Amino acid sequence: MSESIINALLGGSIIGVSVSLMLILNGRVTGIAGIYSQWLQWPKGDTFWRFAFILGLVLGGYVASLFIPNTFGPMVTDLPWVMIAGLLVGFGTALGSGCTSGHGVCGLSRFSIRSLVATLSFMGSGFLVASLIQLVKGV
Amino acid sequence: MTKNVLASFSVGFIFSLGLAISGMTHPEKVIGFLNILKNWDPSLIFVMGAAIPIHILAYQYIKNKSHPLFDSKWHYPTSKVITKNLVIGSLIFGMGWGIAGLCPGPALASVTSGSVEMYVFIGFMTLGMYIEKSVSQFLK
């Protein structure tokens, strides 16, 4: 438990530094859903920096997996539910203009009420659904 | 342009290391945080707890600067309107997050895991984004 907290604090600090670099250097918000979904709209708009970001994200995960055992955990649910969850995450972040990073980290740090509402919404439904699934499985 | 893209690549890379170290790339761990009914593990709240104070400082730092280092203007959002789409979209996103324990960042950071299920998740996430964009284009 205490090791989990230390890892969360360390990882969170690194995330905090990286999104701050994005702001100070490029003047942009590090919202993964936005960066990824707008890159997909190629060839419209500015896509190159988005592609570079996603490439960095993928490579970072790879490098982390060389040093941290079991970096990538297994799925917690069956394939049909993985599909449904993927659809909901994609559709929801696009409609709500943001995800955990864009609203949850960047927006809250800017004291954006919009992002606070979004974060409370997705955290609320996230807690509710994950706990409901536990209820269905049996506590 | 080049500096911009290089910075963006580096940010993606560092961000991903942070995700991996924090435990966010573990769906099990994320579900352990979201499921409060069994062995609740609230430790992931410290990811935001550490990232936000650092990022608040960054916003204070840029407050009096006219533009970012590698660009001529700021690009961060300034909208203050709370829309139905914002709330409904976020609620829907949270439902998917609560089912699979994955949000977009950790999913994309896990591309090299080789897990077929992960590719399925990313594929359907991408499809969900396309559907939203097509629908909102249609409704316009």
Side-chain angles (χ1 to χ4, degrees), chain B residues 4-67:
Chain B
N4 225 306
V5 171
L6 212 64
S8 172
F9 171 81
S10 311
V11 169
F13 188 88
I14 301 168
F15 187 97
S16 200
L17 295 181
L19 281 178
I21 291 169
S22 69
M24 288 290 292
T25 48
H26 266 273
E28 260 169 353
K29 177 132 189 105
V30 176
I31 293 298
F33 168 64
L34 293 175
N35 168 16
I36 53 174
L37 295 181
K38 197 179 179 190
N39 306 323
W40 189 40
D41 171 13
S43 58
L44 282 182
I45 197 64
F46 292 102
V47 179
M48 278 169 110
I52 290 173
I54 293 173
H55 203 36
I56 288 175
L57 291 179
Y59 271 107
Q60 297 307 309
Y61 172 77
I62 63 147
K63 216 160 52 179
N64 298 316
K65 308 237 182 280
S66 58
H67 60 86

Side-chain angles (χ1 to χ4, degrees), chain A:
Chain A
M1 177 72 169
S2 61
E3 199 196 322
S4 289
I5 294 177
I6 292 167
N7 289 341
L9 285 171
L10 181 63
S13 305
I14 293 171
I15 289 171
V17 168
S18 68
V19 297
S20 298
L21 280 175
M22 184 67 113
L23 180 68
I24 293 165
L25 299 178
N26 290 359
R28 289 185 187 275
V29 165
T30 312
I32 316 288
I35 294 175
Y36 178 68
S37 70
Q38 284 170 51
W39 165 54
L40 293 172
Q41 288 181 311
W42 186 85
K44 268 188 289 177
D46 50 346
T47 51
F48 208 55
W49 71 268
R50 296 176 197 275
F51 173 71
F53 178 87
I54 302 296
L55 191 67
L57 195 69
V58 170
L59 273 177
Y62 174 68
V63 169
S65 74
L66 299 178
F67 296 97
I68 308 167
N70 310 317
T71 301
F72 311 119
M75 285 288 175
V76 291
T77 183
D78 303 333
L79 208 54
W81 285 106
V82 169
M83 295 174 177
I84 293 168
L87 271 181
L88 294 173
V89 168
F91 187 87
T93 53
L95 187 65
S97 357
C99 59
T100 337
S101 53
H103 283 309
V105 175
C106 298
L108 291 189
S109 302
R110 207 171 52 246
F111 306 117
S112 155
I113 301 296
R114 235 175 95 78
S115 288
L116 179 65
V117 170
T119 305
L120 290 176
S121 304
F122 67 68
M123 289 268 247
S125 65
F127 276 113
L128 193 72
V129 166
S131 303
L132 272 176
I133 290 172
Q134 182 64 51
L135 260 186
V136 172
K137 280 187 189 164
V139 183

